[in-house]
Amino acid sequence: MSSSAGRKRIRLGDLLVQHRIISEQQLEVALSEQRKSGHKLGRVLVQLGYLDEDELARFLGRQLDIPVIDLRHYQFQPEVVRMLPETHARRYRALALSQDAQGITVAMADPTDIFAFDALGKLLRKPLKLALVRESQLVSTIDLVYRRTDEIHSLAEELDEELAGSDFDIAELDAGDNLADAPVIKLLQSMFADAVQVGASDIHIEPDEKLLRIRQRVDGELQEQVIEGRNIASALVTRLKLMASLNISERRLPQDGRFSVKVKDRNIDVRLSTMPIQHGESMVMRLLDQSAGLLDLEKLGIPDRMLRQIKRLVNKKSGMVLVTGPTGSGKTTTLYAALNQVNRPNSKIITVEDPVEYRLPRINQVQVHTKIGLSFSRVLRTALRQDPDIIMVGEMRDQETVEIGLRAAMTGHLVLSTLHTNSALATVTRLLDMGARGYMVAAALDGVIAQRLVRRVCDSCGQPSQPDPAQLAWVRGQLGDQALDGLSFRAGSGCAYCANTGYRGRIGVYELLEMDEALTDCLRRDDTEAFLAEVRARGGYRTLVQCALDYAGQGITSLDEVIRLAGGLDELKDERFDSQDVILPGSQA
């Protein structure tokens, strides 16, 4: 669409009525609502449910004779996107997509906005060719394509130049009226904004000999950015230590702290850990979004049948429920969701944590402090004298904590806790290995939830995927010969929405072991072999891998991700799964 065509003015409401897409009455209601909210008419019509966003986009595209672009599958050119500054992209709801001899193609959510069109023309100083995009897609895409990589590099260079002066005192970072304008503060603000924008759970600051690595963990995987300059790391670490009220002169010992920052109207609680390394201090910050609120058990992705069982377990008056898995598997999220389920005025809840991650109303949360003798076991003994109904222990770390927790569960308390094991079955043997007596575990333990997080296939670039022969053999080995019936696998090809990884977001996979009379009888006899055989003989027991394969068969995650979860990569290289020897379903031997 040319510049002259872009200035064509239409009255959207009249056109929609004229083409009988909405009625006169619906238009009047929408106009009235628009006057109250100040939003664009098209957005109001969609919010009121008079038409959907796709229908509106197709209609406008026909009327204006411009293409409608699906941003989910668009391959962006970073150098073109950056021609339009982020502030103007958000203000005018526009994105620069491509450039050729005829001008710049600009995608707009509202191409009828002639004021925005004129402003964009002055900013870009080239003829504009318009395209139409859905507003919801545009807003989320702006968050993704305007990464702050260049801004971080620029601020880092500015900070490096400032630190190069021989008269600069790093301690001055905590003083002065112009603190907000200091390059180190701007750099930190940009780092936090970028991390929140891409949904990072952790930020790693790692100094090397002549450079600084800033890495963000997104969906469980680290993404790296390298910054030149050897002085930047010490400035960042010092400033962050001050924010966390740590000792800035102590660089030989690890330190832990926390502070809060506000990023884009979101309150982020930052848990900080420092560690001395060869070229300075490594720092890792865990980002906890306090404004997001606690998840409900229903929103964790737990299968319906298992969810009903878990709700029954956590609503008992007494007993022990354990959540197991490695670090970063989502155990704490599940525990807090369970606490949210039982947090009622008639129940007293005490938690023993290291550290306290989320602050909860109506719950007495205790932070463990081993340096002063405030250990898990000591706090737990004290908590039992506080007349609790429910106790949450952050982790069963030693024999004493395990025994106190088991006795509390046996004496009328509900005890929730975590343990680092690979599966629900391994949890019982781990408790016994830690010195717990079999009869106590049998009397106290009600259930074990094992969990992992797997990455979701990106909705934008996900496509049907055909497993290779080795993968097919692996699936049949897990589920049986008829396992492939009705399964539909998908994989992501990589796009701007997923940083070219093919994955965006994560979902939990779960395994539930619920104790019953037969299982507890095995534990009372200290017969772990009989216990394991009894569980495996049950038809309804589903493992973590089987749960993950259910998601892969629905196209939610990829088969590669399930094999990675199962540690199946080595199995795929086994001679038994040589692709030349595999017989595919329906083929001739």
Side-chain angles (χ1 to χ4, degrees):
M1 183 175 182
S2 65
S3 296
S4 58
R7 299 179 66 86
K8 177 182 176 183
R9 187 175 181 86
I10 63 173
R11 292 176 62 88
L12 177 61
D14 293 340
L15 280 175
L16 289 170
V17 172
Q18 180 182 337
H19 288 78
R20 298 183 179 179
I21 296 176
I22 63 173
S23 66
E24 289 276 5
Q25 292 80 7
Q26 288 174 328
L27 177 59
E28 290 299 324
V29 173
L31 289 172
S32 175
E33 184 64 28
Q34 182 192 25
R35 286 190 286 270
K36 296 177 185 176
S37 66
H39 293 152
K40 298 284 187 181
L41 180 60
R43 179 177 174 182
V44 173
L45 288 167
V46 171
Q47 289 175 339
L48 291 173
Y50 293 156
L51 73 168
D52 61 42
E53 199 171 17
D54 288 340
E55 186 180 6
L56 177 62
R58 288 193 299 269
F59 174 78
L60 274 174
R62 288 194 302 268
Q63 294 299 313
L64 296 171
D65 192 25
I66 59 176
V68 179
I69 293 180
D70 188 343
L71 292 176
R72 294 175 300 175
H73 307 291
Y74 194 84
Q75 295 297 320
F76 295 93
Q77 303 173 33
E79 66 279 2
V80 176
V81 169
R82 287 195 291 268
M83 292 174 67
L84 182 63
E86 181 183 358
T87 53
H88 297 294
R90 293 186 183 278
R91 179 179 179 183
Y92 299 121
R93 291 288 197 266
L95 270 177
L97 299 182
S98 62
Q99 180 180 209
D100 55 27
Q102 284 74 44
I104 299 177
T105 299
V106 176
M108 295 184 68
D110 182 10
T112 66
D113 188 340
I114 60 174
F115 300 107
F117 181 86
D118 288 341
L120 291 170
K122 293 176 183 177
L123 283 166
L124 297 172
R125 298 180 181 178
K126 289 189 178 180
L128 302 186
K129 297 182 290 181
L130 286 187
L132 178 64
V133 293
R134 297 159 185 80
E135 185 174 11
S136 59
Q137 278 188 15
L138 182 69
V139 173
S140 59
T141 303
I142 288 175
D143 286 340
L144 292 167
V145 299
Y146 280 100
R147 291 295 301 271
R148 298 174 182 266
T149 305
D150 293 339
E151 180 181 326
I152 290 173
H153 272 287
S154 176
L155 289 169
E157 289 176 3
E158 183 182 345
L159 176 60
D160 194 40
E161 291 175 3
E162 184 171 327
L163 293 173
S166 59
D167 59 344
F168 183 82
D169 183 0
I170 198 70
E172 292 177 3
L173 289 171
D174 193 36
D177 296 330
N178 299 321
L179 188 61
D181 297 326
V184 67
I185 299 299
K186 291 181 180 179
L187 178 56
L188 286 172
Q189 289 172 340
S190 186
M191 283 171 48
F192 282 121
D194 186 55
V196 170
Q197 195 164 295
V198 298
S201 60
D202 302 84
I203 301 175
H204 296 235
I205 297 175
E206 301 170 348
D208 210 328
E209 185 177 3
K210 295 181 180 179
L211 51 83
L212 170 67
R213 286 185 174 88
I214 298 176
R215 302 202 279 178
Q216 298 175 342
R217 191 173 295 280
V218 181
D219 294 335
E221 301 291 321
L222 286 172
Q223 299 177 2
E224 183 177 87
Q225 181 177 356
V226 177
I227 297 175
E228 299 293 335
R230 58 186 302 170
N231 297 321
I232 302 171
S234 60
L236 285 176
V237 168
T238 299
R239 181 62 222 168
L240 288 166
K241 281 184 174 181
L242 290 168
M243 293 169 68
S245 300
L246 300 181
N247 184 355
I248 62 173
S249 62
E250 179 56 77
R251 300 175 182 175
R252 300 166 300 170
L253 296 174
Q255 297 187 70
D256 296 304
R258 69 190 305 162
F259 59 89
S260 296
V261 293
K262 194 166 187 176
V263 182
K264 294 185 177 180
D265 297 324
R266 294 164 67 176
N267 295 316
I268 307 298
D269 203 8
V270 182
R271 225 174 64 201
L272 179 148
S273 172
T274 72
M275 182 176 67
I277 59 175
Q278 185 177 7
H279 298 292
E281 289 180 275
S282 168
M283 183 170 284
V284 176
M285 293 178 284
R286 170 65 56 89
L287 308 182
L288 305 169
D289 190 350
Q290 299 289 346
S291 59
L294 286 177
L295 284 176
D296 294 326
L297 282 171
E298 290 85 353
K299 297 179 181 178
L300 296 182
I302 304 174
D304 290 341
R305 180 173 173 272
M306 192 182 297
L307 179 61
R308 290 193 295 271
Q309 292 174 284
I310 291 173
K311 282 186 175 181
R312 185 173 66 250
L313 288 173
V314 300
N315 278 285
K316 284 188 172 183
K317 294 294 184 183
S318 63
M320 176 181 284
V321 179
L322 296 176
V323 183
T324 74
T327 301
S329 60
K331 300 186 300 297
T332 303
T333 299
T334 301
L335 269 186
Y336 278 116
L339 285 179
N340 200 31
Q341 176 80 21
V342 298
N343 187 6
R344 294 182 285 265
N346 61 349
S347 296
K348 176 155 184 173
I349 303 175
I350 299 177
T351 72
V352 189
E353 304 174 67
D354 183 23
V356 174
E357 294 199 12
Y358 291 95
R359 296 171 176 86
L360 306 172
R362 202 191 292 122
I363 293 180
N364 298 270
Q365 297 175 268
V366 182
Q367 166 78 54
V368 169
H369 200 330
T370 53
K371 290 182 179 179
I372 61 172
L374 198 63
S375 62
F376 272 102
S377 55
R378 182 171 182 178
V379 176
L380 191 50
R381 282 194 297 268
T382 304
L384 290 172
R385 295 193 289 269
Q386 292 280 311
D387 189 29
D389 297 293
I390 300 167
I391 300 172
M392 191 270 273
V393 184
E395 183 184 347
M396 293 290 181
R397 293 187 176 181
D398 51 49
Q399 180 180 355
E400 187 178 11
T401 305
V402 169
E403 288 190 353
I404 297 172
L406 290 172
R407 292 187 185 280
M410 293 168 63
T411 54
H413 306 87
L414 177 65
V415 179
L416 306 175
S417 189
T418 71
L419 204 61
H420 286 100
T421 59
N422 290 328
S423 67
L425 285 177
T427 301
V428 174
T429 54
R430 176 64 61 82
L431 288 173
L432 298 177
D433 291 342
M434 292 176 71
R437 296 185 176 94
Y439 75 89
M440 292 182 66
V441 177
L445 187 63
D446 284 331
V448 181
I449 306 163
Q451 69 178 79
R452 297 290 191 282
L453 294 174
V454 294
R455 293 178 292 173
R456 290 177 176 268
V457 172
C458 176
D459 290 334
S460 302
C461 62
Q463 302 171 3
S465 174
Q466 179 62 38
D468 63 39
Q471 291 174 324
L472 290 172
W474 186 83
V475 173
R476 286 201 300 270
Q478 294 292 326
L479 301 179
D481 290 337
Q482 305 301 318
L484 298 173
D485 296 341
L487 299 186
S488 178
F489 298 108
R490 293 172 71 238
S493 59
C495 65
Y497 280 79
C498 60
N500 294 313
T501 63
Y503 300 96
R504 189 178 179 203
R506 290 189 290 179
I507 188 171
V509 292
Y510 300 88
E511 175 182 319
L512 174 64
L513 173 62
E514 189 171 9
M515 302 295 290
D516 59 18
E517 186 175 350
L519 294 177
T520 55
D521 186 56
C522 294
L523 290 178
R524 288 191 189 96
R525 301 195 311 267
D526 286 331
D527 192 344
T528 55
E529 290 188 6
F531 176 86
L532 297 176
E534 176 70 27
V535 173
R536 290 179 178 132
R538 301 182 177 190
Y541 181 73
R542 295 185 63 77
T543 65
L544 286 165
V545 173
Q546 289 170 331
C547 181
L549 279 170
D550 286 343
Y551 287 138
Q554 300 168 35
I556 296 173
T557 190
S558 70
L559 192 52
D560 283 339
E561 187 74 354
V562 179
I563 293 173
R564 184 180 71 86
L565 165 74
L569 291 176
D570 291 335
E571 292 183 39
L572 287 179
K573 299 175 184 176
D574 194 291
E575 293 178 358
R576 293 171 298 166
F577 295 149
D578 190 291
S579 59
Q580 295 180 358
D581 299 328
V582 173
I583 300 175
L584 297 178
S587 65
Q588 296 294 322

